[in-house]
Amino acid sequence: MKFKAQIDIMPMEELLDPQGKVVTQSLHKLGLGDIDNVRIGKHINLFVDASDESQAHKAVDEACTKLLANLIMESYSFSVEQVS
Amino acid sequence: MKFKAQIDIMPMEELLDPQGKVVTQSLHKLGLGDIDNVRIGKHINLFVDASDESQAHKAVDEACTKLLANLIMESYSFSVEQVS
């Protein structure tokens, strides 16, 4: 069975996000002063072949911890849905 | 009222995603051969002050088109939820 995973990887809440800060300022300069506290992370889509949803979940979790997320500075969350 | 927006910005389906391709290969080398078609985009969280959800929606849409997304190469989607 094929599953699609949607992963969000964000800088941890406790940490500054300099890129987000600069984007917040840029939005203010563009006239969007009501927007605040922009934080920028990664969104990753991938497909995984697995025998069931729990196996797919396990593979995605392994991908996050082994490669995709830097667990010192980032936290991740994901959802998995069957596509075929 | 304060709203939280969660924005996903992804490379368009028709375009190659070289970064995603390299990550796919790296995952295979790490033993995760069941994962395929990795595509990498941005996930952005922000807060917006607005009088109602429709105004918040409008501000976020403007932020996406004016700054956050490169509409030639990327597509975006977002959700808005009231937080206070």
Side-chain angles (χ1 to χ4, degrees):
Chain A
M1 291 190 290
K2 210 173 187 76
F3 297 85
K4 182 178 185 179
Q6 308 231 30
I7 307 167
D8 290 329
I9 300 175
M10 297 300 291
M12 283 181 182
E13 287 297 336
E14 307 81 36
L15 299 178
L16 281 177
D17 175 14
Q19 193 189 1
K21 199 152 191 165
V22 171
V23 167
T24 307
Q25 291 164 356
S26 302
L27 287 170
H28 291 181
K29 283 184 198 147
L30 287 169
L32 291 157
D34 292 334
I35 288 178
D36 209 6
N37 204 8
V38 179
R39 292 183 76 83
I40 301 181
K42 283 177 283 186
H43 184 74
I44 301 177
N45 290 343
L46 55 81
F47 291 88
V48 53
D49 283 315
S51 50
D52 58 35
E53 192 167 325
S54 129
Q55 287 300 313
H57 209 276
K58 204 178 140 197
V60 174
D61 198 64
E62 199 176 336
C64 288
T65 54
K66 279 193 175 171
L67 184 69
L68 303 177
N70 170 357
L71 298 178
I72 298 170
M73 300 173 63
E74 296 170 326
S75 61
Y76 66 93
S77 61
F78 63 88
S79 65
V80 170
E81 57 167 340
Q82 193 179 334
V83 288
S84 70
Chain B
M1 290 189 291
K2 210 173 187 77
F3 297 85
K4 182 177 185 180
Q6 308 230 30
I7 307 167
D8 290 329
I9 300 175
M10 296 300 292
M12 283 182 181
E13 288 296 336
E14 307 79 35
L15 298 177
L16 280 178
D17 175 12
Q19 193 189 0
K21 199 152 189 163
V22 172
V23 168
T24 307
Q25 291 165 355
S26 302
L27 288 170
H28 290 183
K29 283 184 199 149
L30 286 170
L32 291 157
D34 292 333
I35 289 178
D36 210 4
N37 204 9
V38 179
R39 291 183 77 82
I40 301 181
K42 283 177 284 187
H43 184 74
I44 301 177
N45 290 343
L46 55 82
F47 291 89
V48 53
D49 282 317
S51 50
D52 58 35
E53 190 166 327
S54 130
Q55 288 300 313
H57 208 273
K58 206 179 138 196
V60 174
D61 198 64
E62 199 176 335
C64 287
T65 54
K66 278 193 175 169
L67 183 70
L68 302 177
N70 170 358
L71 297 179
I72 298 170
M73 298 172 64
E74 296 171 324
S75 62
Y76 66 93
S77 61
F78 62 88
S79 65
V80 169
E81 57 166 340
Q82 194 179 333
V83 287
S84 72

